[in-house]
Amino acid sequence: MRSLILLGLVGFAAQLVDGSLGMAYGVTSTTLLLAVGVNAAAASATVHLAEIGTTLASGVAHWRFNNIDWKVVAKIGIPGAVGAFAGATFLSNLSTESAAPIMSLILLTLGLYILIRFTAFGLPKKNLGKPMRKRFLAPLGLLAGFVDATGGGGWGPVGTPAILASGRMEPRKVIGSIDASEFLVAVAASLGFLFGIGSENIDFAWVGVLLLGGVIAAPIAAFIVRYVAPRILGSAVGGLIILTNVRTLLRSDWIAASGAVQTVVYVVLALVWAGAIVYSVGEHRKTKAAEAELTPAA
């Protein structure tokens, strides 16, 4: 019973982060399942089955707060479902752990760009409002869906930074659209795993508590992303991407850093991340104050 309660709390926390930052539900939940000895395919299958419910709840919540661009959902979600089904089928027979460092390096680069861009300059406005092109979203969805299924998470870490970097959508719209489209990815991945490994390798009690925790957190997360300033949200997303992928690289065979080195790196990155968020908050307050002074004159 204690393990189920803990798993439910993990589902709640993971969805709270995912729904407000557009990523981390799968990564957080899968990491816990792997830590207790669940094999990669079964862990990813468990998380994706739970995500069918959590992404549906999150999508509805984001829709109610007007955080979704449905054209983007269609353009990225359908290719994402195709990629997720292929990735689930592939993982059922083969591990893709060797590709993790390469993918983490790409994501780390995107995370650095986003953290610097949003912290130093705020929301990119040059392309804001321009339509997202299908020729960009379709390949992105295909890749993100495949990574998500094979890695137990990745739809948000791949899709969110790539769309944010384009500067064509507000962060809250990016996060809402990514969360809503993830429902299609979760359904496709779950079907792929059920065909690949069968239902006997999946603990449906674990699926249930992960789902319950995520459903409770979904509307709270959608509210948070609706009212957090884009500049602050961008800094938060960028820092999360950096920390997550630096962790993967430090633990990979490429670096194989000692525990002491990892601790030092994490502390330094956390301090830089906190400083970036504090700076973004300060700049946002200055901007709001300047706008307030101009409003009476207008």
Side-chain angles (χ1 to χ4, degrees), residues 188-281:
S190 297
L191 290 174
F193 283 120
L194 289 174
F195 287 138
I197 65 174
S199 60
E200 64 273 6
N201 293 310
I202 301 172
D203 190 326
F204 285 94
W206 289 14
V207 173
V209 292
L210 278 173
L211 170 60
L212 179 61
V215 167
I216 294 173
I220 302 173
F223 175 82
I224 291 173
V225 75
R226 183 70 175 82
Y227 292 100
V228 175
R231 184 167 197 156
I232 301 170
L233 200 57
S235 297
V237 170
L240 181 65
I241 296 167
I242 292 170
L243 273 175
T244 301
N245 291 287
V246 165
R247 177 178 180 274
T248 300
L249 288 169
L250 289 176
R251 296 187 175 191
S252 70
D253 292 336
W254 286 11
I255 300 176
S258 65
V261 171
Q262 290 183 43
T263 300
V264 171
V265 172
Y266 296 152
V267 170
V268 171
L269 287 177
L271 290 173
V272 172
W273 186 17
I277 293 176
V278 169
Y279 179 81
S280 291
V281 170

Side-chain angles (χ1 to χ4, degrees), residues 128-243:
L128 194 62
K130 292 183 179 180
M132 299 295 300
R133 298 183 183 277
K134 186 176 181 180
R135 65 187 181 189
F136 168 71
L137 291 175
L140 176 64
L142 194 66
L143 172 64
F146 186 86
V147 172
D148 187 80
T150 56
W155 179 250
V158 174
T160 299
I163 298 178
L164 278 175
S166 72
R168 291 174 178 248
M169 293 177 65
E170 296 177 68
R172 68 178 182 88
K173 288 277 189 177
V174 174
I175 292 168
S177 300
I178 285 291
D179 273 14
S181 58
E182 193 172 8
F183 172 74
L184 300 175
V185 174
V187 170
S190 297
L191 290 174
F193 283 120
L194 289 174
F195 287 138
I197 65 174
S199 60
E200 64 273 6
N201 293 310
I202 301 172
D203 190 326
F204 285 94
W206 289 14
V207 173
V209 292
L210 278 173
L211 170 60
L212 179 61
V215 167
I216 294 173
I220 302 173
F223 175 82
I224 291 173
V225 75
R226 183 70 175 82
Y227 292 100
V228 175
R231 184 167 197 156
I232 301 170
L233 200 57
S235 297
V237 170
L240 181 65
I241 296 167
I242 292 170
L243 273 175

